[in-house]
Every structure is written in C-alpha cells, then in structure tokens.
Amino acid sequence: MSGVFAPAPGRAPMRSVVASQIRMELTLTARRGEAVVLALFVPLLVMLGAGLTEATNVPGDDRLAFVVPGVLALTVMSTAFTGQAITTGYERSYGVLKRLGASPLNRSGLLFAKIAAVLGLIVVQLIVLAAVGVAVGWRPHLEMLLPALGVTVLATAAYSGLALLMASLLRPEATTGAATLIYVVMLAAGGIMFAAPDLGTAGWFLLPLAAHAEALRETLSHGGSVPGAIWLSLATWAVVLVTAAARKFRWE
C-alpha cells in the first residue's frame, strides 16, 4: 500500500560501517584529551629545547632545519605506534574489541578505521607543531609538501601495523613495556634531536624513524626529493607490518 514505510533489515554497506567506526575512534581519542596533549607536549618540548638552544649537537648551521622535521617524525611514531599499541592492548584486555567482533565490522575494517583515525589526529598534531616551528624561525619548502605527506602516510601505516600486531600478540602490560622500549631506542638512534651515527642506507631499513625524519628534512627543510631507498624502506615496513597485523589480529 502506498505511503506505508516498512523496515528493510540487512547489514549496512561496509563503507558506512567503517566510516562509523572512524568517527567512534576519533570520539574516543577526543575523550582522552590528556593523552593527546601529552603526545603533543613532549615533541614540542623536544623541538624547542633542541632547536633553540645548544643543548645537543646537530649537523649543519641551521638547527631548526634539522630538529623540526625530526620532531614531526617523532610525533607520528608517538601517536601511531606507542599510543595506539597501548590503547588497543587495553581495549582487547577490557573486552572492547570482543564486542566489536560481534558487530558487522570485520577485522580489516577495524584495522583500516584505526589507521585512518590516527592519521587524522596526526595531521592536526603536525599542523600545530609545524606552525610553532615556523613561529620560532623554521622556513619549510611548502612546494615539497606532497612527497612529505606521502612518506608520512607510509610511516603512519607502518607504525600502526606494528602497534596493532603487538597489541594482538602481547598482554597489555607487555605491550606497554615493549612499545615504550622501542620508542626510546628509536628516539636515541633515530637522529631526532642530535646527530646519530651514520648507518647509511641500511640504517633507513633498520630504523624507520630515521628514514622518515631524513625524508622530511630533505623535502621540507632543503627542498629536495625523497631518496628512493627511503620510499622503499617505509613502503616495505608498511606492507609487511599491516599484512602481519591483519593476519594475526585477535578480537580477544
């Protein structure tokens, strides 16, 4: 009969389910405001301390050209890897992921939603940090923004893949300890706020943070192109870790 509306049961399209999960991930992140501030505050202190003082030794005469891109890369790792590994580990422990597993959201959809949400958060953080860097004297080459964004997307995917893989395989306490240890090692060896030993091309494959930081320096600080080895390194890390996370991810 015309004018009568009957329910149409059925699962929503997967794109709608994933979009809804992305919004939920962003909402939950906003509720953890103190964690977001901390993730931004620590890199900001590193940038101002190492960029405006002689507290550390950096190569070249332009301290900000070296330090600011390194801090931007550090922020990506802090948010996409350390923060996400710890948060997801406890979500699994508390049964949050188990409940999501009973929803129309599949495993690939959840992983995509988490990576997309954390990428959105990272964009906001990088804009804030870059603006502070410009305010204190950093002069980026904005015409090289596209390749800088490209390597940042690859780095975000790689760190998120590792975070989700660890959160699936380890207990929350072990995930927290391992994520913190990896963060400290990367910070110390990645050449972020002081000159690190030159490991050559091999270093970019061993230390994705060093590869990402060098790519941002080449593009944003010096107006150059991203070395092919860095593209290959970050792409390899991203593909391997995201694939491993998709295969090993557990809801509980």
Side-chain angles (χ1 to χ4, degrees):
M1 187 173 70
S2 62
V4 177
F5 295 93
R11 190 172 72 173
M14 184 53 61
R15 62 178 180 275
S16 299
V17 175
V18 173
S20 177
Q21 184 61 29
I22 292 174
R23 290 193 295 270
M24 177 59 68
E25 294 288 341
L26 291 172
T27 300
L28 293 175
T29 299
R31 291 177 180 175
R32 298 190 296 268
E34 68 284 353
V36 175
V37 171
L38 183 61
L40 188 62
F41 186 66
V42 172
L44 182 60
L45 284 181
V46 172
M47 182 174 70
L48 296 178
L52 299 180
T53 71
E54 302 292 332
T56 61
N57 295 321
V58 302
D61 299 326
D62 191 343
R63 297 186 65 87
L64 291 173
F66 180 87
V67 172
V68 175
V71 169
L72 297 181
L74 178 66
T75 302
V76 173
M77 181 179 180
S78 176
T79 301
F81 171 61
T82 313
Q84 187 163 212
I86 295 171
T87 299
T88 306
Y90 279 101
E91 284 178 347
R92 185 165 65 86
S93 176
Y94 295 153
V96 175
L97 299 184
K98 181 179 180 181
R99 292 181 175 87
L100 286 175
S103 73
L105 185 69
N106 60 26
R107 181 166 51 186
S108 298
L110 176 64
L111 297 181
F112 180 84
K114 282 188 169 293
I115 294 174
V118 82
L119 182 60
L121 174 60
I122 284 171
V123 168
V124 175
Q125 291 175 322
L126 295 185
I127 290 174
V128 172
L129 287 171
V132 174
V134 170
V136 298
W138 182 51
R139 295 295 176 260
H141 292 262
L142 296 181
E143 70 276 10
M144 300 304 297
L145 187 59
L146 190 58
L149 288 175
V151 293
T152 298
V153 170
L154 287 177
T156 300
Y159 292 137
S160 295
L162 180 57
L164 297 171
L165 178 62
M166 289 175 54
S168 297
L169 299 179
L170 304 176
R171 294 177 61 86
E173 298 81 4
T175 299
T176 300
T180 303
L181 177 61
I182 292 174
Y183 177 84
V184 171
V185 171
M186 287 283 189
L187 175 60
I192 300 303
M193 57 182 175
F194 52 81
D198 185 9
L199 300 178
T201 302
W204 294 340
F205 285 89
L206 293 173
L207 301 169
L209 178 61
H212 187 202
E214 183 61 26
L216 295 185
R217 290 186 188 110
E218 281 295 321
T219 53
L220 297 179
S221 288
H222 305 306
S225 59
V226 179
I230 290 182
W231 283 114
L232 181 59
S233 167
L234 293 177
T236 301
W237 278 103
V239 170
V240 170
L241 291 174
V242 171
T243 301
R247 290 180 175 177
K248 298 296 183 179
F249 187 80
R250 296 183 298 168
W251 296 99
E252 56 180 311

